[in-house]
Amino acid sequence: MSDILLGIGRNEPEQSVAAKEAVQAFNLSKVPPHQVELTKMQNTFMAILRELKQTTGSNLEPAKAATKEIIDKMMSELTTERAALNNLRSKLPR
C-alpha cells in the first residue's frame, strides 16, 4: 500500500506531499494503540530520568569525595591490621 502511495508521489510531483502524509498515516495505523501509549510513557519516563540525572549530577562531587575518603581510610586500617596480624603470626611457635 505504501509503495503505491509513494509511486503516486513520484509520478505526480504536486501530489508528493499528500502521498508522503498518507504513507505516514498508513504506517501509524500498523501500530496497535496500546503500543503507542506505552511508547509515549516510556519516552516521557526516559526524559524525566535524563533531566533528573542532569540536575543531580552536579551535586554528586562532594558525596564522591567523602566516599573516597572513607574508602581510603578503611583500606589504610585494613592494611595496618593485616600487617599487625602477620607480625603476630610470625611470633607464634610453629
Side-chain angles (χ1 to χ4, degrees), residues 3-14:
D3 292 335
I4 294 170
L5 291 170
L6 288 175
I8 292 170
R10 279 188 225 118
N11 295 334
E12 299 176 30
E14 65 276 355

Side-chain angles (χ1 to χ4, degrees), residues 17-94:
V17 174
K20 286 180 184 177
E21 290 175 357
V23 169
Q24 289 175 344
F26 177 73
N27 288 335
L28 286 175
S29 69
K30 292 180 184 177
V31 179
H34 68 278
Q35 184 62 43
V36 173
E37 290 300 317
L38 287 174
T39 303
K40 284 181 187 177
M41 285 188 270
Q42 182 180 7
N43 291 340
T44 303
F45 180 72
M46 294 305 289
I48 291 169
L49 285 180
R50 279 191 296 276
E51 186 176 329
L52 284 173
K53 186 176 180 181
Q54 288 176 353
T55 58
T56 59
S58 60
N59 297 333
L60 291 179
E61 291 307 317
K64 285 181 182 179
T67 302
K68 184 178 180 341
E69 183 180 327
I70 291 168
I71 290 174
D72 288 344
K73 183 179 177 185
M74 286 174 26
M75 293 303 290
S76 172
E77 290 174 1
L78 286 172
T79 305
T80 304
E81 289 175 11
R82 179 176 284 164
L85 182 60
N86 288 338
N87 190 18
L88 286 175
R89 282 187 187 165
S90 66
K91 292 181 181 179
L92 291 176
R94 293 181 185 218

